[in-house]
Amino acid sequence: MVRANGAVSLRELARVVQTSEVTVRRDVRALEAEGLLDRRHGGAVLPGGFTRESGFPQKTHLATAEKTAIADLAAGLVEEGEAIVVGAGTTTQELARRLARIPGLTVVTNSLLVAQALAHANRVEVVMTGGTLRGSNYALVGSGAEQSLQGLRVTRAFLSGSGLTAERGLSTSNMLSASVDRALVQAAAEVVVLADHSKLGTDTMFQTVPSDVITHLVTDEPPMGDDRAATELQALADCGVRITVASVSPSDGGETGGGRPRRDVPVPGPRRHVRPGGGQPGAALRSAPLPPEQSTAGRVADLAPRRR
């Protein structure tokens, strides 16, 4: 599967071979020791280190259920009539398909796939950047793309990437893509990162969005026993990132589990949020208690910054 797709998540491997993720994780570790693949948090890729980047055909087969759940929740953050920017990626492409149902939007993007998903949307205006086409992910990059974003101001930027850590923030394996993503961030009042659990704790070569600039993270619930992902989420919460977690049921073809999906679980942190009504910056806020049927989905999301 790794050779065919370039990358695969542990959750998908366990589903295909009908065994536990613990067993799959052990086998992947053994294959890495033989030099046959590289482990990535929550998955495995062909050997290649920090600079390796899977192409679009490979990425479309990785964490598909997770991306669907993340896109569903992220679309709930967008209101009618907003102006937003949407970066390149398979997760942002899923988001764009849902944005097509929201009237009055203006969407600025450097992604041909995002633009295609919105091309026939009713009352959605699509603005493409300039630039040079990067065929591996169907995105416009280079100085033309960056210059076309100068002077732009929108409410939110929705971005994806190759890795996300609390220490460095969002990162990617390609220098040109990173540069355009930074220009997209400069145009937005808020930055929303869409990243499935396999990217948590993964660090790649070029930083795009530092942790203290990320306003909101939309991710999926890490598998049970994935302590590293849970630790990374807590560290991001400590940085002041608001976190929304989608629950994905492996048996339902990618629909979010636990009843109605949570749309927003804010976790304001100490760096910039002020509580409405006169609260002090840095006050630890928790979301409202979850209904019993959603308690698992919100287990990781209901984090508050730890007291220092």
Side-chain angles (χ1 to χ4, degrees), residues 7-77:
V8 67
S9 71
L10 297 181
R11 184 176 286 166
E12 290 181 64
L13 281 172
R15 192 157 47 215
V16 169
V17 301
Q18 297 183 339
T19 188
S20 69
E21 291 186 29
V22 173
T23 300
V24 169
R25 188 176 289 109
R26 183 189 61 211
D27 293 342
V28 166
R29 191 178 297 116
L31 291 171
E32 182 185 44
E34 296 178 16
L36 298 177
L37 49 76
D38 286 344
R39 278 188 299 162
R40 290 291 179 266
H41 186 54
V45 300
L46 292 175
F50 276 85
T51 59
R52 180 177 178 83
E53 181 182 29
S54 300
F56 174 78
Q58 290 77 36
K59 290 180 180 179
T60 56
H61 298 290
L62 183 61
T64 54
E66 290 84 349
K67 292 172 183 176
T68 297
I70 290 168
D72 285 339
L73 296 187
L77 302 174

Side-chain angles (χ1 to χ4, degrees), residues 60-306:
T60 56
H61 298 290
L62 183 61
T64 54
E66 290 84 349
K67 292 172 183 176
T68 297
I70 290 168
D72 285 339
L73 296 187
L77 302 174
V78 182
E79 298 179 359
E80 182 176 342
E82 275 196 83
I84 62 175
V85 295
V86 179
T90 52
T91 310
T92 52
Q93 181 188 23
E94 287 295 323
L95 171 63
R97 291 175 177 142
R98 288 147 182 82
L99 296 179
R101 301 191 289 264
I102 304 176
L105 290 183
T106 300
V107 179
V108 181
T109 185
N110 68 319
S111 168
L112 299 186
L113 298 172
V114 168
Q116 182 183 41
L118 295 167
H120 301 291
N122 184 34
R123 294 178 56 198
V124 176
E125 182 178 1
V126 180
V127 179
M128 294 289 298
T129 69
T132 303
L133 178 63
R134 184 166 179 256
S136 61
N137 65 346
Y138 300 94
L140 297 170
V141 297
S143 60
E146 296 169 41
Q147 290 172 10
S148 66
L149 293 165
Q150 292 180 1
L152 180 70
R153 193 62 173 170
V154 298
T155 55
R156 292 183 184 88
F158 290 87
L159 297 176
S160 188
S162 302
L164 177 63
T165 66
E167 182 179 1
R168 290 188 71 222
L170 191 67
S171 61
T172 187
S173 302
N174 181 266
M175 181 174 63
L176 293 175
S177 295
S179 186
V180 174
D181 281 354
R182 286 192 287 267
L184 292 172
V185 168
Q186 290 297 317
E190 295 184 1
V191 178
V192 182
V193 170
L194 312 181
D196 66 77
H197 74 273
S198 67
K199 297 177 182 177
L200 296 174
T202 297
D203 197 8
T204 52
M205 194 168 184
F206 299 99
Q207 182 192 57
T208 57
V209 190
S211 298
D212 62 354
V213 177
I214 300 172
T215 310
H216 197 151
L217 166 64
V218 185
T219 186
D220 63 288
E221 185 181 9
M224 292 298 293
D226 195 342
D227 295 334
R228 182 178 175 184
T231 300
E232 202 68 49
L233 284 176
Q234 178 65 68
L236 288 163
D238 290 345
C239 292
V241 179
R242 296 165 59 192
I243 299 171
T244 301
V245 176
S247 177
V248 181
S249 172
S251 62
D252 61 12
E255 295 296 324
T256 50
R260 184 180 177 84
R262 289 190 63 81
R263 292 179 57 190
D264 188 20
V265 183
V267 187
R271 55 184 166 84
R272 61 177 178 272
H273 295 291
V274 179
R275 187 171 188 168
Q280 295 299 314
L285 303 182
R286 289 181 179 270
S287 60
L290 293 173
E293 70 273 11
Q294 290 186 352
S295 59
T296 302
R299 178 174 56 82
V300 181
D302 289 334
L303 298 175
R306 291 174 288 207

